[in-house]
Amino acid sequence: MNKNNDDKFFVQGRECGECAVCCKVLTIDTPELTKTPNHICKNHTPGVGCSLYPEWPSVCNKWYCAWRNLSDLDDSWRPDRINILTEFARENFPPPFTGHVGFRFTVLDPHKLAKNRKFAKFVMKQIKNSVPCLLAFGAEENTEQAAAFLNFALEKAVKSNNINAVLRELVKALDACDQRPKITYEIKNNTLVKAN
């Protein structure tokens, strides 16, 4: 399926297909659509897709994962295949990364991270190029994913050019995310509110 948007920034011929990771993982809080994190959107039917298609809310119509835009991420990087949602991030990064556009990698399957050399190589390349990177994890329904800033944590491993060291540091970052306090949300009167 193809969203109603200008395709000039997309990899030609690349479509979401069966992938609906964004329909589950993302938190949405707009007047036209509200959904909690890690909870499948009420408008999504597995195997069918979005019941609102082709008239998506603007929040959905304007959002795409980085896999749709970056040709150096091959088809195996589709979020439901690699088990990582890669998105462009404009977070409140610490100096000297303040104001930069980077990446947010939301891990969907923590058991596959330790052996994902393809992902580790991509992260190494970004950090070497001073692109800010966040790793996010949290699979509990209605619970926001916690994030860890990778550039400082992986600096030594990346400089050593040791992919196994990078993988170990990625697992440590994931574990740190898993240990952070959980923030749970619910919807009340069509508004997203913290439940705890």
Side-chain angles (χ1 to χ4, degrees):
M1 59 188 154
N2 197 3
K3 294 185 180 182
N4 300 329
N5 209 332
D6 187 349
D7 288 349
K8 67 182 177 182
F9 299 112
F10 300 144
V11 176
Q12 188 173 4
R14 185 169 285 178
E15 300 288 342
C16 301
E18 297 295 314
C19 183
V21 168
C22 61
C23 301
K24 180 178 180 182
V25 171
L26 300 179
T27 305
I28 302 175
D29 188 16
T30 66
E32 56 190 345
L33 180 64
T34 304
K35 84 168 255 341
T36 56
N38 289 320
H39 183 82
I40 194 71
C41 179
K42 64 184 178 183
N43 299 305
H44 178 77
T45 303
V48 176
C50 182
S51 63
L52 301 179
Y53 177 78
E55 301 300 324
W56 276 298
S58 62
V59 66
C60 301
N61 199 34
K62 293 177 182 176
W63 190 93
Y64 289 90
C65 70
W67 172 75
R68 290 288 311 271
N69 297 95
L70 298 176
S71 59
D72 52 340
L73 302 182
D74 64 27
D75 285 346
S76 70
W77 277 81
R78 195 174 84 177
D80 62 333
R81 293 177 179 154
I82 198 167
N83 291 295
I84 297 168
L85 175 63
T86 302
E87 57 187 301
F88 297 109
R90 291 171 178 82
E91 307 277 342
N92 187 18
F93 295 122
F97 302 97
T98 307
H100 294 206
V101 175
F103 287 103
R104 179 183 177 96
F105 306 105
T106 301
V107 176
L108 309 176
D109 186 344
H111 306 293
K112 295 184 178 178
L113 183 64
K115 295 183 179 178
N116 196 332
R117 297 173 72 82
K118 179 189 309 188
F119 174 64
K121 286 178 183 176
F122 184 79
V123 171
M124 288 174 73
K125 178 181 176 184
Q126 302 316 309
I127 291 176
K128 285 177 181 178
N129 290 328
S130 298
V131 176
C133 295
L134 291 171
L135 184 81
F137 177 68
E140 295 175 35
E141 191 170 35
N142 302 321
T143 302
E144 187 175 76
Q145 302 90 1
F149 187 65
L150 296 178
N151 295 64
F152 300 141
L154 272 67
E155 185 176 17
K156 186 176 178 182
V158 168
K159 281 184 179 176
S160 73
N161 216 29
N162 183 333
I163 194 162
N164 292 323
V166 169
L167 285 165
R168 285 192 297 274
E169 293 302 322
L170 286 169
V171 170
K172 284 182 188 177
L174 186 139
D175 290 342
C177 291
D178 197 34
Q179 298 303 314
R180 295 218 169 114
K182 309 291 190 249
I183 301 172
T184 304
Y185 290 91
E186 61 185 350
I187 297 172
K188 287 187 178 178
N189 301 320
N190 292 324
T191 303
L192 197 67
V193 294
K194 288 184 182 178
N196 55 356

